[in-house]
């Protein structure tokens, strides 16, 4: 039985923000996906969170059905402000923040800028690149080429060269929604991975924090974990050993098992839908 409630739009931080809501009961979760993942592509994950949480999945600006176009600022600070403004506009006063990749960097900044009401942060394999640091392992042409090809029209079979391990349904969904990813917005986020160092945020985080590491992602290495633990000794670090960077796609049950009881109760998903 689906936990999906509805999708909607709200004016917050001066832009239209689109969201999907699941569950509607229990503690509140705000989930911010990664660099080229509109909210709908995380629906299969949100369905599980919706079993126990009032779950809101956001389209970051320049993606999905949220505001887009050349007149917007797509930098990390503006996107962090969007999250805080969304919570205010929807009357969400206490919430868990969950962010994947780019979304993890956004929720870190959002929590530092507006700590009130943040119950916890779950950082799912965030890029730890930055000035003078190891580059982010994802290469820009992969993003650019897939977006441009999707804009011309592609199907699940064509998407296989970019996401070979995904199911046909997942590839079809990505092919359908990737054209909503505004290339300059994606480029700004990608550049921020390398130009903005998020490490200074760790010691400022206002609530308990979980770092989830993809064992095969190559994004976070043991030396990165050691540095982060020095910056935030209380951080909980968990691993999904058989997953790449897109953890729920690679190990769906393992993704939820990795939370343990961090959010207050264990999450369970038997198999990927």
């Amino acid at each position: 039985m689906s936990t999906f409630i509805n999708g909607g739009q709200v004016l917050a931080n001066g832009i239209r923000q689109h969201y999907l809501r699941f569950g509607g009961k229990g503690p509140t979760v705000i989930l911010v996906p990664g660099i080229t993942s509109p909210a709908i592509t995380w629906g299969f994950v949100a369905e599980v969170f919706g079993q126990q949480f009032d779950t809101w999945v956001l389209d970051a600006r320049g993606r999905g059905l949220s505001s887009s176009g050349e007149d917007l600022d797509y930098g990390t600070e503006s996107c962090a402000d969007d999250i805080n403004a969304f919570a205010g506009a929807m009357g969400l006063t206490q919430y868990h923040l969950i962010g994947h990749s780019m979304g993890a960097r956004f929720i870190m900044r959002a929590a530092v800028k507006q700590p009130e009401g943040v119950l916890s942060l779950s950082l799912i394999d965030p890029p730890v690149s930055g000035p003078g640091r190891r580059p982010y392992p994802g290469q820009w042409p992969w993003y650019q080429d897939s977006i441009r090809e999707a804009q011309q029209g592609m199907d699940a079979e064509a998407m296989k060269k970019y996401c070979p391990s995904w199911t046909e349904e997942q590839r079809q969904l990505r092919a359908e929604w990737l054209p909503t990813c505004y290339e300059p917005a994606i480029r700004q986020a990608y550049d921020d991975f390398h130009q903005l160092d998020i490490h200074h945020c760790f010691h400022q985080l206002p609530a308990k924090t979980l770092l989830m590491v993809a064992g095969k992602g190559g994004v976070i290495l043991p030396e990165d974990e050691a540095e982060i633990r020095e910056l935030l000794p209380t951080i909980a670090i968990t691993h999904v050993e058989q997953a790449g960077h897109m953890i729920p796609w690679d190990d769906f049950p393992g993704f939820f098992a990795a939370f343990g009881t961090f959010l207050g109760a264990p999450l369970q998903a038997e198999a990927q839908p």
Side-chain angles (χ1 to χ4, degrees), residues 234-246:
T234 60
I235 197 167
I237 300 180
T238 186
H239 299 82
V240 186
E241 295 294 354
Q242 299 306 311
H245 183 56
M246 303 298 285

Side-chain angles (χ1 to χ4, degrees), residues 1-80:
M1 184 175 182
S2 176
T3 63
F4 177 69
I5 296 178
N6 62 268
Q9 312 270 7
V10 64
L11 178 64
N13 198 29
I15 68 166
R16 180 187 71 252
Q17 295 196 43
H18 175 251
Y19 63 87
L20 300 176
R21 188 181 185 189
F22 295 77
K25 298 179 181 179
T28 300
V29 161
I30 299 176
L31 195 161
V32 184
I35 187 168
T36 54
S37 295
I40 194 169
T41 63
W42 274 73
F44 75 111
V45 177
E47 287 279 8
V48 177
F49 282 110
Q51 295 171 8
Q52 300 181 56
F53 297 93
D54 184 14
T55 304
W56 306 74
V57 191
L58 306 188
D59 274 335
R61 60 171 64 195
R63 299 156 181 87
L65 300 181
S66 289
S67 289
S68 188
E70 61 184 14
D71 57 329
L72 295 183
D73 173 21
Y74 297 101
T76 296
E77 295 302 307
S78 291
C79 293

Side-chain angles (χ1 to χ4, degrees), residues 110-145:
V112 169
K113 299 177 83 168
Q114 184 176 295
E116 299 81 9
V118 178
L119 298 173
S120 75
L121 295 98
S122 297
L123 311 176
I124 313 302
D125 218 39
V128 290
S129 44
R133 294 181 175 274
R134 184 182 71 256
Y136 180 65
Q139 300 297 305
W140 172 247
W142 185 89
Y143 298 98
Q144 176 180 272
D145 295 349

